[in-house]
Amino acid sequence: MAFVGVLGLLLIWRMKQIVKIFFRAKKTYGKLNLMFLSKISDIAGRIPFNKQEYEAEFEEACENSYDKNVTYILSQYYLGPVLLWGLYAIVLITFAMVNSGYTIGFETDSVVDSFVILIYVAYFVSTLTFLPALIDRWPRAYATSVRLEEVLNLEDKVIKSKSTDNPKRIEIVEEDVSWQDKGIWAERREISQKFTLILKDDRIKVIMSMILLTISTLCMVYAPEVAGNTVNLLSSNVNSFNDAGVYFNLALLLALYSAGYLLKLTPKRIMGITGEKVAYNLRMKLFDGIDVVESGFIQENSKGLIMSRLNNDVMNIREFVSSRFSEIYAQILSIVLVIVLMMMTDFRLSLIYLVILPIYVTSFSLCDYKSKDYYDGHQKHLGRLMSYFERGLANRDSFHEKGFKKINQTVIDYYAKSRNITNIMEPVTTLLTNVSNITVYMAGIYFLSVGEIQLGTLLAVIMYGQLLTKPIKKLSTSMASIETAFSSIKRIFAIIDYRK
C-alpha cells in the first residue's frame, strides 16, 4: 500500500508535465494540415507554386511534429524501472514474511500458505502493469477533449447557414482514389508487402526489437517451470526452506520476471519512435503523391477525401506500428512457446488446451473474412465525413445539416457492424478459456489424487494455461486495430501508387 501511494503521487506530479508535452505535439498537426491543404488548393485552382519552397516548409513541419512526438514518447519510459524496483521490494518482503513462518489465516501447512501468498503477489504485480498504458492514453484523451471543447465553445458565434436543405444536394456522392479490388488472400499478401515497405528504412531496429521481445517472452514462458519445481521442492521436504535450491529457484524467478519485463521496455521505445518515423515518411510520400493526382479530380471532388489520409489513416498506421505490431508478435510467439513447454511438462493435460486451438484459428479467420468490407467501408465513409467538414469550412452555404447527419449515421453504422463481428471473438475466447481451465482443474485434481503428477506439475500447467489464454484474448481484442491498419494502408497507397 505504501508503494502504491508513492507511485500515485509520482503519477500526479508527472502527468501534468506529460500532458503539456502532448499538447505541444498536438499543435503541430495544424501546421501539417495547413500546408497539405494549401498545396491541394493550388493544384485544384491550377495555381503555379514553388515546389521547392512548399516541400521545404512541409518537411520542416513534419520534422517539428516528429521531434515533439518523440519527446512525448521518451517522457513516459522512466516509470517502467520505477515500477519494477517497487515490485522487487514487494516480492522480497513477501518472501521474507513467508520464510519467517507468516501465514494469512488459513489453517493449512506452510506450502499451501506460500503458494496462496505468491499467487496474490503475482496477481497484484500483473494488475499494476496497466499503469504505463494509462500514462500513454490519458494525456491523449485529455488533450483531445480540450481541443474539441475549444471548437464546440464557438458554436454560438458561428453564423447559421441560410441555405435550404435541398434533398437533391443532401447526398453528395464523390469519387475517391480507391485500391484495386482483389481476392482476400492476394489483398492480404500485397498489404503485407506494403507494410514491409513501410518498415524498410528501420529494418535493423525492428529486427532488434523482435529479438529482444523473443528473449523477453522466453523468460516469461520459462518462469512457470521454475515455479513448479519450487513448489515440488517445498512439498517434498519439511525443512525445504533451509534448502539452497529453493532460494536459487526464487532468485531465478525474480531474474526471469524482471528480465522479461525490462526487455520489453526497449522494444516499446524503439517501436514508438519507429511509428513516428513511419508517419513522417508517409506524410512526405503523400505530399509528393498529390502531384500525380490530376487537378481535375481535386476540382470535382472534395479536398477532404485526400486530407482524411493525413488526419486518419496515417495516424492509424502510426499507432499500429508504435504499439500493436510488437504486441501481436509477442502474443503469437508466446502462444507457440507455451504450447511447446506445456507439452514437455505434461502431455495429457496439455491436450485439453491444444484441442481448442483449431476453434480459435477458425473463429479468427471467419471474423477476418466477414469484417473486412465493413472496416474498409468505415474508413471510406469517415473520409467522406471529413470532406463534408472541409466543404463547410470553405463555404458555409454548401454545408447541409441533414446531409451531414446522414453521412455521420452511415459512419456509425459501418463502425458498429465492423466491431460487432470482431467483438464476437471476445465472448467466444472467454467461453473456450473457461471450459478448458475447468477441464484441466478437474483432470489435474484426479491425477494428483492418484499420485500420477506432483503439485508443482499441476501448478506449472495451470500457469501455462493462463499464459496461453491471455495472449489469445489479447489477439481477439487486437483484431479491430489489425483490420483498421490494413484498411488505412490500402487508402494511403491508393494515393502514393496513383497512376493517371
Side-chain angles (χ1 to χ4, degrees):
M1 290 177 66
F3 170 64
V4 172
V6 173
L7 194 61
L9 292 175
L10 182 64
L11 282 174
I12 294 172
W13 173 73
R14 183 59 176 162
M15 192 70 81
K16 187 176 181 180
Q17 297 174 319
I18 295 176
V19 168
K20 289 181 178 179
I21 295 173
F22 187 70
F23 264 112
R24 290 196 293 268
K26 197 84 171 174
K27 288 180 180 179
T28 61
Y29 301 153
K31 179 67 173 179
L32 292 172
N33 276 275
L34 179 62
M35 293 298 303
F36 222 84
L37 188 58
S38 298
K39 183 174 182 179
I40 297 174
S41 300
D42 286 356
I43 293 176
R46 303 181 188 275
I47 300 174
F49 61 92
N50 188 329
K51 184 176 180 180
Q52 292 181 347
E53 181 181 350
Y54 263 89
E55 288 182 346
E57 191 173 354
F58 184 77
E59 185 173 359
E60 182 182 357
C62 281
E63 290 177 354
N64 188 31
S65 180
Y66 173 79
D67 293 338
K68 292 290 189 299
N69 279 281
V70 168
T71 302
Y72 168 70
I73 291 171
L74 297 180
S75 67
Q76 307 171 45
Y77 286 94
Y78 76 96
L79 186 67
V82 172
L83 179 65
L84 183 68
W85 294 331
L87 296 180
Y88 265 139
I90 292 174
V91 173
L92 290 174
I93 291 171
T94 304
F95 284 156
M97 294 173 71
V98 172
N99 188 37
S100 64
Y102 177 80
T103 65
I104 56 176
F106 294 107
E107 296 180 358
T108 53
D109 57 31
S110 59
V111 175
V112 178
D113 280 349
S114 303
F115 171 71
V116 173
I117 292 173
L118 292 178
I119 290 296
Y120 275 120
V121 172
Y123 181 75
F124 178 70
V125 169
S126 62
T127 304
L128 286 180
T129 56
F130 81 97
L131 288 175
L134 174 65
I135 291 184
D136 177 51
R137 298 294 179 180
W138 190 82
R140 295 174 183 268
Y142 177 74
T144 302
S145 65
V146 171
R147 288 170 62 85
L148 284 174
E149 187 178 4
E150 291 173 351
V151 176
L152 294 175
N153 287 338
L154 298 175
E155 182 179 5
D156 295 335
K157 301 178 182 179
V158 175
I159 301 175
K160 300 295 183 180
S161 174
K162 297 180 180 179
S163 63
T164 58
D165 288 324
N166 186 342
K168 294 183 179 179
R169 296 182 60 192
I170 289 176
E171 181 68 16
I172 301 175
V173 180
E174 297 174 315
E175 180 186 358
D176 195 3
V177 182
S178 60
W179 177 281
Q180 183 181 357
D181 290 332
K182 301 175 182 178
I184 184 171
W185 296 113
E187 180 181 283
R188 288 289 186 260
R189 183 170 59 252
E190 186 167 356
I191 290 175
S192 300
Q193 292 173 353
K194 297 295 185 185
F195 184 71
T196 304
L197 181 64
I198 289 174
L199 299 176
K200 183 179 179 181
D201 293 341
D202 298 289
R203 182 173 59 251
I204 296 177
K205 292 182 179 179
V206 174
I207 293 174
M208 184 185 303
S209 297
M210 297 304 105
I211 292 174
L212 291 175
L213 279 175
T214 302
I215 300 173
S216 170
T217 306
L218 280 170
C219 292
M220 301 297 286
V221 169
Y222 185 67
E225 183 73 20
V226 178
N229 292 335
T230 305
V231 173
N232 286 337
L233 285 174
L234 290 170
S235 59
S236 62
N237 186 1
V238 177
N239 298 319
S240 57
F241 276 111
N242 297 322
D243 189 349
V246 173
Y247 291 97
F248 174 79
N249 284 350
L250 293 178
L252 182 58
L253 273 175
L254 278 176
L256 288 173
Y257 279 120
S258 59
Y261 180 79
L262 287 175
L263 288 173
K264 287 181 179 179
L265 295 179
T266 301
K268 188 176 180 181
R269 177 174 176 172
I270 291 174
M271 295 306 296
I273 298 175
T274 301
E276 293 297 332
K277 186 66 175 297
V278 166
Y280 173 88
N281 292 334
L282 289 177
R283 288 173 184 139
M284 296 301 297
K285 290 180 180 179
L286 279 173
F287 195 71
D288 293 336
I290 301 173
D291 294 327
V292 183
V293 180
E294 50 196 42
S295 60
F297 172 86
I298 301 177
Q299 286 176 329
E300 296 171 2
N301 301 285
S302 172
K303 306 176 186 67
L305 291 173
I306 299 178
M307 292 292 296
S308 64
R309 265 78 171 187
L310 178 70
N311 291 314
N312 181 44
D313 297 300
V314 169
M315 297 302 177
N316 288 335
I317 297 173
R318 184 195 68 175
E319 185 69 19
F320 183 77
V321 173
S322 297
S323 58
R324 295 295 185 181
F325 177 65
S326 56
E327 288 179 1
I328 292 170
Y329 171 80
Q331 289 157 11
I332 295 175
L333 180 64
S334 177
I335 292 172
V336 174
L337 293 176
V338 165
I339 291 174
V340 173
L341 290 176
M342 187 188 294
M343 296 286 288
M344 295 172 61
T345 303
D346 189 275
F347 179 76
R348 294 169 299 178
L349 295 177
S350 303
L351 283 177
I352 298 174
Y353 288 108
L354 292 177
V355 167
I356 63 174
L357 283 180
I359 303 177
Y360 284 127
V361 175
T362 303
S363 300
F364 275 121
S365 301
L366 288 175
C367 287
D368 176 60
Y369 178 76
K370 293 291 185 181
S371 63
K372 181 180 74 70
D373 292 337
Y374 290 124
Y375 277 95
D376 291 344
H378 173 253
Q379 296 301 108
K380 173 184 175 182
H381 289 286
L382 190 60
R384 289 187 61 206
L385 187 67
M386 291 185 180
S387 70
Y388 219 92
F389 266 115
E390 180 270 329
R391 182 184 290 105
L393 291 172
N395 182 8
R396 180 65 183 173
D397 290 337
S398 67
F399 188 90
H400 293 271
E401 186 176 355
K402 289 183 180 179
F404 172 77
K405 287 183 177 179
K406 187 173 183 178
I407 297 177
N408 194 25
Q409 187 60 48
T410 303
V411 173
I412 293 172
D413 292 341
Y414 271 94
Y415 180 89
K417 291 177 181 177
S418 61
R419 262 58 179 183
N420 285 342
I421 294 177
T422 51
N423 286 344
I424 293 175
M425 281 303 303
E426 187 170 356
V428 169
T429 303
T430 302
L431 175 63
L432 293 175
T433 298
N434 291 338
V435 171
S436 58
N437 285 338
I438 292 172
T439 306
V440 167
Y441 297 158
M442 294 174 63
I445 291 173
Y446 170 76
F447 291 144
L448 192 64
S449 64
V450 297
E452 294 190 15
I453 61 173
Q454 292 181 298
L455 178 62
T457 303
L458 177 59
L459 171 64
V461 173
I462 291 175
M463 294 179 70
Y464 277 131
Q466 296 296 325
L467 285 178
L468 179 65
T469 55
K470 188 175 181 179
I472 290 177
K473 286 184 176 180
K474 287 186 176 181
L475 277 178
S476 65
T477 58
S478 298
M479 284 196 66
S481 61
I482 295 173
E483 294 291 349
T484 301
F486 282 177
S487 298
S488 296
I489 289 174
K490 289 163 59 176
R491 286 170 52 79
I492 289 284
F493 279 92
I495 296 288
I496 295 176
D497 297 338
Y498 182 81
R499 296 291 180 271
K500 292 184 180 179

